[in-house]
Amino acid sequence: MYVGRFVVVAPGIGAYRVSSRSFPDRRVLDRDGTLTVGPTPDAPETENPYVSYNCARAVRTPADEPLAVVGNGSHVDPIAEKLEFGYPARDALATPLLALDFEKDDYDTPRIAGVVGAETATIGVVRRDALLVEAVDEPTIVATYETDSPEPYPLAAAAADAPDAGEAASEVLDADFEHPVCAAGATVDGDGVTLAFDNGDDG
């Protein structure tokens, strides 16, 4: 089944996967602690504005709470900024998703995102017919197609005694959905945020 891009979050852990039929020549790069999706060096040139974006960021709230943001587009940055200003996770997700709305491409692709804290997680999606933001206490997925409303997801990495961001990235990259490209993972605990990525054969 092809579900497109998807986010999975739970308290303490989150992950994001790029699945793509149209632009498979992409990878995740670490740019000074922010994970960015972008084209590989040999990718065909494109003017599509939705191909490159920050997909995972670590933030600190005014109360010094560490949080991670994951998502499938340019909304990741304003979500992170609102968290840094002290917005609750629900509002930090809802405001940029509502403002930017679904992507204006041929498929009306939804924007998806999640905010992960050490003990909390919140997931959101904006699509043509709805804006949904939910606090969750178990691993939950939302995708751009098919699974475009939050629902439970069996993320094994979330059940580990010491959740690992790299394992989360690899697990969602290997998930049984079509056209995997690359993935990012995040873990959050009292010490802070750890980000990792998996580009498959590219390492």
Side-chain angles (χ1 to χ4, degrees), residues 10-157:
I13 194 166
Y16 169 67
R17 185 177 109 171
V18 178
S19 314
S20 182
R21 294 176 291 206
S22 303
F23 299 100
D25 298 319
R26 286 185 283 174
R27 61 183 176 177
V28 178
L29 298 174
D30 186 341
R31 299 186 186 278
D32 297 323
T34 294
L35 300 187
T36 301
V37 173
T40 60
D42 57 351
E45 290 190 14
T46 178
E47 295 182 359
N48 188 304
Y50 304 118
V51 168
S52 300
Y53 50 87
N54 293 334
C55 69
R57 283 185 56 175
V59 301
R60 287 269 178 177
T61 71
D64 203 35
E65 179 187 5
L67 298 171
V69 183
V70 292
N72 72 324
S74 58
H75 52 287
V76 167
D77 291 333
I79 291 170
E81 290 162 7
K82 289 189 180 302
L83 292 167
E84 290 172 339
F85 283 134
Y87 279 60
R90 183 199 66 167
D91 298 351
L93 280 166
T95 306
L97 289 176
L98 183 61
L100 291 169
D101 213 352
F102 60 90
E103 295 180 358
K104 305 309 187 289
D105 58 9
D106 293 339
Y107 307 101
D108 293 343
T109 300
R111 291 181 187 268
I112 56 174
V115 174
V116 178
E119 305 291 338
T120 61
T122 310
I123 198 165
V125 55
V126 62
R127 53 186 205 237
R128 175 176 278 280
D129 63 342
L131 169 65
L132 306 173
V133 178
E134 296 181 12
V136 300
D137 56 13
E138 62 180 351
T140 301
I141 186 173
V142 69
T144 55
Y145 310 121
E146 304 294 338
T147 308
D148 62 359
S149 294
E151 62 181 58
Y153 180 84
L155 185 70

